Amino acid sequence: MSKAFTLILSLLLCIDIIAQETFSVNDVQDRRSESHAFINATIYVDHQTVYPNGTLLISEGKVVSVGTGIAVPEGYVVNDLKGKFIYPSFIDIYSDYGMPAVPRPPQFSFNRAEQLESDIPGA
């Protein structure tokens, strides 16, 4: 009797586990292609290597190939950059170099008079 009960219980648990196979995604789904081909651009690889009318292949955030006469594989998003330049660089997202200064809001002061109406223009 206990073996039959254990068998039935284990089957019920397995069915319950299989029933939870997929879950809905509670987020924004981005189904855009991760592969891009930049064609017809002047590409500077370093200070000596320049590819006029070159092709740059990027897949999943990594450079796959750079050069001229490269065939674009199927599934790549093609971006024609005729007359534009591509330079090697690093992007520092925490840098404010070259950006205008951000105006700071006035600091809170206990000496300020009571404000009964908004000083912000508009509704």
Side-chain angles (χ1 to χ4, degrees):
M1 179 70 182
S2 67
K3 288 184 182 180
F5 179 72
T6 305
L7 179 65
I8 292 172
L9 184 63
S10 63
L11 287 175
L12 288 174
L13 287 175
C14 289
I15 291 171
D16 188 42
I17 291 172
I18 294 171
Q20 302 298 324
E21 189 172 306
T22 59
F23 294 96
S24 62
V25 176
N26 191 15
D27 198 1
V28 177
Q29 291 183 346
D30 189 5
R31 301 210 183 263
R32 291 180 287 186
S33 175
E34 294 283 333
S35 303
H36 293 273
F38 300 98
I39 62 171
N40 297 327
T42 303
I43 303 172
Y44 285 82
V45 178
D46 56 29
H47 70 283
Q48 294 176 340
T49 311
V50 179
Y51 295 112
N53 292 326
T55 302
L56 171 66
L57 299 178
I58 297 178
S59 181
E60 297 182 11
K62 296 185 179 170
V63 175
V64 175
S65 182
V66 178
T68 56
I70 296 174
V72 178
E74 188 176 331
Y76 276 67
V77 176
V78 178
N79 300 298
D80 190 4
L81 301 179
K82 184 123 180 108
K84 303 211 175 167
F85 297 86
I86 298 175
Y87 298 99
S89 66
F90 294 104
I91 299 172
D92 183 7
I93 61 173
Y94 298 108
S95 175
D96 59 355
Y97 180 76
M99 300 295 293
V102 178
R104 302 277 181 200
Q107 296 294 326
F108 178 76
S109 173
F110 284 107
N111 297 332
R112 185 174 173 187
E114 180 180 7
Q115 179 178 344
L116 299 175
E117 293 185 17
S118 175
D119 59 354
I120 300 173

